[in-house]
Amino acid sequence: MNAPHVAHDARLASRIKFAELSSSLGAGVLGAGIGVLLAPWLGGLALPILAAGLLLHAWGMRDKHALEAGAAQPAWAPALYWACWLILGALALYAIARALIGS
C-alpha cells in the first residue's frame, strides 16, 4: 500500500538531488566565466578568492551532511557561517575598489 508513495518519494528525492547538482554546476561555470571576464582586475586575488570559495564550499557540505544526519548545530556554527560570508563580501569590495582605482 505504501510502495507507490515510497517510490514517488525516492523519485522526488532523486530529482531534487539532480536539480541541486545542476544548480551547483551552473553556479560553478558562471563563476568561472565571471573570473575569466574579470581576470585583468582580479589576477592578484586568485588565492584569496580560491580560499574563500573553498571555505564556503566546505562549510556548506559540512552543514548539509549534518542536517541530513539530524545532528544538532554547534553553538559556534552561525558565527563561522557569517564569517565565511563576511570574508567573501570583503574580497568582493576589495576587488571592486581595486578595479575602480585601476591598480
Side-chain angles (χ1 to χ4, degrees):
M1 194 192 259
N2 284 338
H5 179 67
V6 171
H8 174 72
D9 288 349
R11 283 193 304 271
L12 180 60
S14 177
R15 291 283 317 273
I16 289 171
K17 286 209 179 267
F18 183 75
E20 289 172 344
L21 176 62
S22 299
S23 175
S24 296
L25 182 59
V29 172
L30 178 63
I34 291 169
V36 170
L37 286 173
L38 299 178
W41 299 283
L42 300 178
L45 295 174
L47 289 178
I49 290 170
L50 284 171
L54 178 63
L55 184 62
L56 282 167
H57 174 69
W59 171 260
M61 292 306 297
R62 190 223 65 86
D63 198 31
K64 178 180 184 284
H65 292 297
L67 287 168
E68 289 174 344
Q73 188 178 45
W76 49 264
L80 182 60
Y81 172 81
W82 289 110
C84 290
W85 282 106
L86 183 64
I87 292 167
L88 191 60
L91 272 171
L93 289 174
Y94 178 74
I96 290 167
R98 191 171 153 182
L100 291 175
I101 292 170
S103 46

